[in-house]
Amino acid sequence: VQLQASGGGLVQAGGSLRLSCAASGRIFSSYVMGWFRQAPGKEREFVGLIRWSRDSTLYADSVKGRFTISRDNAKNTVHLQMNSLKPEDTAVYYCAAARSWVVRATEYFNWGQGTQVTVSS
């Protein structure tokens, strides 16, 4: 499966953005789609995940209640709705796939090109 994230941009604190992760190729129903982010000088950080075949989701504490992950299987797309954005959410956001319910970046594969999100104060 190939993945491509899009939808990033510049937004003021308190604003919203919706990222998309378009998937192409063979997608197994057991796959988990994860969102990660990486700020300059920091390690890649888990944001959240969703099962490809169910609506089960998991979020990092830092985004819980503000971010929502959804999927559109008909369009092979996973979305990350980000509300109440903070300057500390500024990072490059990536989507990737995993074969199980995991949060470690090393367990994910087929990382797409990231999309920059910048939140101004």
Side-chain angles (χ1 to χ4, degrees):
V1 59
Q2 291 76 45
L3 303 171
Q4 179 63 55
S6 63
L10 173 64
V11 63
Q12 287 189 332
S16 299
L17 277 176
R18 188 192 196 205
L19 306 185
S20 297
C21 176
S24 60
R26 187 170 186 179
I27 304 170
F28 293 94
S29 60
S30 59
Y31 277 5
V32 166
M33 308 302 289
W35 284 98
F36 290 78
R37 65 187 182 186
Q38 188 166 19
K42 295 188 176 182
E43 292 188 354
R44 194 161 294 187
E45 174 190 20
F46 171 76
V47 173
L49 61 79
I50 188 168
R51 286 194 185 277
W52 186 251
S53 58
R54 301 179 186 176
D55 287 332
S56 301
T57 55
L58 178 69
Y59 299 96
D61 288 343
S62 59
V63 307
K64 199 174 295 183
R66 299 188 298 124
F67 290 10
T68 303
I69 299 175
S70 61
R71 57 182 174 80
D72 184 341
N73 291 65
K75 296 182 178 180
N76 279 2
T77 302
V78 173
H79 300 288
L80 176 65
Q81 177 67 43
M82 305 185 296
N83 299 329
S84 302
L85 282 162
K86 305 175 182 180
E88 51 263 43
D89 294 318
T90 296
V92 178
Y93 284 70
Y94 300 88
C95 59
R99 294 185 177 87
S100 59
W101 187 269
V102 291
V103 301
R104 291 192 306 272
T106 54
E107 300 287 341
Y108 284 77
F109 55 91
N110 288 5
W111 294 85
Q113 283 191 333
T115 185
Q116 176 71 47
V117 171
T118 303
V119 184
S120 62
S121 57

